[in-house]
């Protein structure tokens, strides 16, 4: 599984409810979710910190000076725009390379566990990466990812 898959899994995983009204997951399944949520969140945090640090390394001194300059001429603004486009292209390529790195992480649920998760999470809409999903779409993706 590559890092992109792990991060996508994390985006869905953090939306799984442990309780819905009077219905609650079994202690074993709650433990499994919390344990793996912690691991997945760690991958997300490490990725975000690494990318932030790496982006700074892509910025040249010339780029930093020009972007910090308050009163840019039209020529400088165009030059900065070109530098920004080049920087964005380099960063995008770097991020894609990082996201394709293989990670030693696997997470599957049994049919019984998935049934319990679906039961508890029925009727709960989720927002994944800023996109609001209907319950059935969210649960379908959870089933695909974790079965």
């Amino acid at each position: 599984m590559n890092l992109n898959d792990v991060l996508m899994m994390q985006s869905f995983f953090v939306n799984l409810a442990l309780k819905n009204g009077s219905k609650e997951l079994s202690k074993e399944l709650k433990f499994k979710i919390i344990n793996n949520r912690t691991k997945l969140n760690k991958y997300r945090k490490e990725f975000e910190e690494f990318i932030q640090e790496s982006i700074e390394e892509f910025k040249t001194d010339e780029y930093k000076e020009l972007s910090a300059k308050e009163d840019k001429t039209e020529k400088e603004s165009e030059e900065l725009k070109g530098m920004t486009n080049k920087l964005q292209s380099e960063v995008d390529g770097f991020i894609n390379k990082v996201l394709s790195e293989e990670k030693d992480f696997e997470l599957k649920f049994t049919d019984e566990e998935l049934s319990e998760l679906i039961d508890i999470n029925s009727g709960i809409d989720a927002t994944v990466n800023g996109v609001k999903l209907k319950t059935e779409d969210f649960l379908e993706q959870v089933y695909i990812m974790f079965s």
Side-chain angles (χ1 to χ4, degrees), residues 7 12 22 28 48 74 82-83 85 93 99 109 114 130 147:
L7 296 178
F12 278 83
S22 62
E28 295 81 11
E48 290 173 353
E74 190 174 316
M83 289 176 165
N85 289 339
L99 288 173
F109 289 106
L114 283 167
S147 65

Side-chain angles (χ1 to χ4, degrees), residues 1 16 139:
M1 172 176 301
L16 291 173
L139 293 176

Side-chain angles (χ1 to χ4, degrees), residues 12 117-118 121-126 128 132-144:
F12 278 83
L117 280 170
I118 289 169
N121 286 274
S122 292
I124 300 174
D125 292 337
V128 177
K132 190 159 180 82
L133 297 175
K134 293 180 187 174
T135 302
E136 52 273 9
D137 295 332
F138 171 70
L139 293 176
E140 180 180 342
Q141 288 303 312
V142 167
Y143 182 82
I144 292 167

Side-chain angles (χ1 to χ4, degrees), residues 28-68:
E28 295 81 11
L29 189 51
K30 277 191 221 174
F31 176 79
K32 185 174 183 177
I33 289 173
I34 291 169
N35 183 32
N36 283 290
R37 188 177 283 174
T38 303
K39 292 175 187 175
L40 288 165
N41 288 342
K42 183 178 176 191
Y43 277 110
R44 166 80 59 193
K45 183 179 179 193
E46 287 173 355
F47 169 74
E48 290 173 353
E49 288 173 355
F50 178 71
I51 293 302
Q52 286 302 334
E53 291 169 8
S54 299
I55 287 173
E56 288 305 312
E57 293 179 25
F58 280 97
K59 294 178 182 177
T60 63
D61 290 339
E62 183 182 10
Y63 175 85
K64 290 175 187 176
E65 288 174 23
L66 194 52
S67 62

Side-chain angles (χ1 to χ4, degrees), residues 39-118:
K39 292 175 187 175
L40 288 165
N41 288 342
K42 183 178 176 191
Y43 277 110
R44 166 80 59 193
K45 183 179 179 193
E46 287 173 355
F47 169 74
E48 290 173 353
E49 288 173 355
F50 178 71
I51 293 302
Q52 286 302 334
E53 291 169 8
S54 299
I55 287 173
E56 288 305 312
E57 293 179 25
F58 280 97
K59 294 178 182 177
T60 63
D61 290 339
E62 183 182 10
Y63 175 85
K64 290 175 187 176
E65 288 174 23
L66 194 52
S67 62
K69 187 174 179 184
E70 300 253 344
D71 296 324
K72 295 175 197 67
T73 65
E74 190 174 316
K75 182 181 176 189
E76 289 171 327
S77 293
E78 284 299 314
E79 189 177 338
L80 181 60
K81 184 178 178 183
M83 289 176 165
T84 301
N85 289 339
K86 182 180 179 209
L87 174 67
Q88 187 64 53
S89 177
E90 291 172 350
V91 168
D92 289 347
F94 175 73
I95 289 173
N96 287 332
K97 183 179 176 185
V98 170
L99 288 173
S100 67
E101 292 175 359
E102 288 299 312
K103 296 295 175 188
D104 186 26
F105 186 82
E106 197 67 37
L107 175 59
K108 297 292 178 193
F109 289 106
T110 66
D111 286 344
E112 293 80 20
E113 290 170 331
L114 283 167
S115 177
E116 194 176 339
L117 280 170
I118 289 169

